[in-house]
Amino acid sequence: SQELEQSPQSLIVQEGKNLTINCTSSKTLYGLYWYKQKYGEGLIFLMMLQKGGEEKSHEKITAKLDEKKQQSSLHITASQPSHAGIYLCGADSGYSTLTFGKGTMLLVSP
Amino acid sequence: DVKVTQSSRYLVKRTGEKVFLECVQDMDHENMFWYRQDPGLGLRLIYFSYDVKMKEKGDIPEGYSVSREKKERFSLILESASTNQTSMYLCATRRLAPNYGYTFGSGTRLTVV
């Protein structure tokens, strides 16, 4: 079965700093999804990547899928308190289901 | 705006009780899923359904059952709640088309005492 490993597990950054979260798969990724979760709430869809080398951006968040399609990174530029939360990557794992990483908790300090 | 609605945000039940968690969607999505989320373990798939009256076991179905009598509603049932079923339960839906991810509900935090 496919496994997704996220790093780091948690991260504290000062407001205004950049940061990167990584998601590494044990198998080739055919669809990689990034979600954000506020504590105690559901997951909000951020971006989906499919093609090797693909890069997508939304506001100050950029996600990339490497050429070999086994790793994705999520980069936040000039972090703000609104970026705080748990970031999860998910990958297609058959029967229309997604497998998720365990998440990266981001705290943004003033 | 598409919606996945979970009936309760917080729920407290006693050990041995039969518990129903309801999930309703208004998007006409074919696929529906139930996950539980626990610290250090991430999201784990309990059951999913790709059509009315159809169900498939996920990774951790023990102690749970599901019902999908109508396309828009997917219920998770804890036949006899136990303390190790204290968790955050998340419902999700997915359209049967390529390149579509999940849409999640807001979650139900269940505590079994």
Side-chain angles (χ1 to χ4, degrees), chain A residues 66-79:
Chain A
D66 76 356
E67 291 287 346
K68 294 183 179 179
K69 295 175 66 176
Q70 285 201 267
Q71 186 174 54
S72 178
S73 60
L74 187 83
H75 184 77
I76 298 177
T77 303
S79 58

Side-chain angles (χ1 to χ4, degrees), chain B residues 35-103:
Chain B
Y35 285 82
R36 62 177 284 179
Q37 184 180 29
D38 301 286
L41 297 176
L43 276 78
R44 293 179 291 168
L45 180 63
I46 305 171
Y47 266 99
F48 64 100
S49 169
Y50 51 87
D51 202 350
V52 175
K53 297 192 184 294
M54 306 303 289
K55 60 184 179 183
E56 295 287 341
K57 293 180 180 179
D59 299 319
I60 52 163
E62 296 79 18
Y64 303 94
S65 62
V66 290
S67 172
R68 192 165 181 200
E69 296 296 317
K70 294 184 179 181
K71 189 175 184 179
E72 67 270 18
R73 186 181 295 270
F74 192 35
S75 302
L76 180 69
I77 304 157
L78 286 66
E79 296 291 341
S80 178
S82 63
T83 54
N84 62 15
Q85 293 179 309
T86 292
S87 185
M88 174 69 145
Y89 289 88
L90 292 161
C91 173
T93 72
R94 191 178 194 184
R95 184 178 165 187
L96 193 65
N99 305 332
Y100 274 81
Y102 286 177
T103 301

Side-chain angles (χ1 to χ4, degrees), chain B residues 21-41:
Chain B
L21 302 183
E22 305 287 345
C23 177
V24 179
Q25 53 128 338
D26 65 358
M27 297 170 289
D28 203 36
H29 284 180
E30 294 83 0
N31 299 313
M32 297 187 74
F33 309 83
W34 276 106
Y35 285 82
R36 62 177 284 179
Q37 184 180 29
D38 301 286
L41 297 176

Side-chain angles (χ1 to χ4, degrees), chain A residues 33 35 37 39-43 45 48 50 88 92 95-102, chain B residues 9 31 33 35 37 40-43 45 48 88 90 94 99-102 104-106:
Chain A
Y33 303 81
Y35 288 85
Q37 183 181 29
Y39 181 76
E41 299 183 7
L43 280 68
F45 173 76
M48 183 256 179
Q50 192 180 22
L88 296 102
D92 282 305
Y95 293 103
S96 200
T97 64
L98 294 183
T99 295
F100 290 90
K102 293 182 180 178
Chain B
R9 289 297 301 273
N31 299 313
F33 309 83
Y35 285 82
Q37 184 180 29
L41 297 176
L43 276 78
L45 180 63
F48 64 100
M88 174 69 145
L90 292 161
R94 191 178 194 184
N99 305 332
Y100 274 81
Y102 286 177
F104 281 89
S106 298

Side-chain angles (χ1 to χ4, degrees), chain A residues 51-68:
Chain A
K51 299 175 184 176
E54 187 174 11
E55 180 176 321
K56 288 187 178 177
S57 294
H58 176 67
E59 298 181 343
K60 294 186 178 180
I61 301 177
T62 300
K64 300 178 186 179
L65 182 62
D66 76 356
E67 291 287 346
K68 294 183 179 179

Side-chain angles (χ1 to χ4, degrees), chain B residues 1-3 26-27:
Chain B
D1 195 19
V2 297
K3 272 196 170 181
D26 65 358
M27 297 170 289

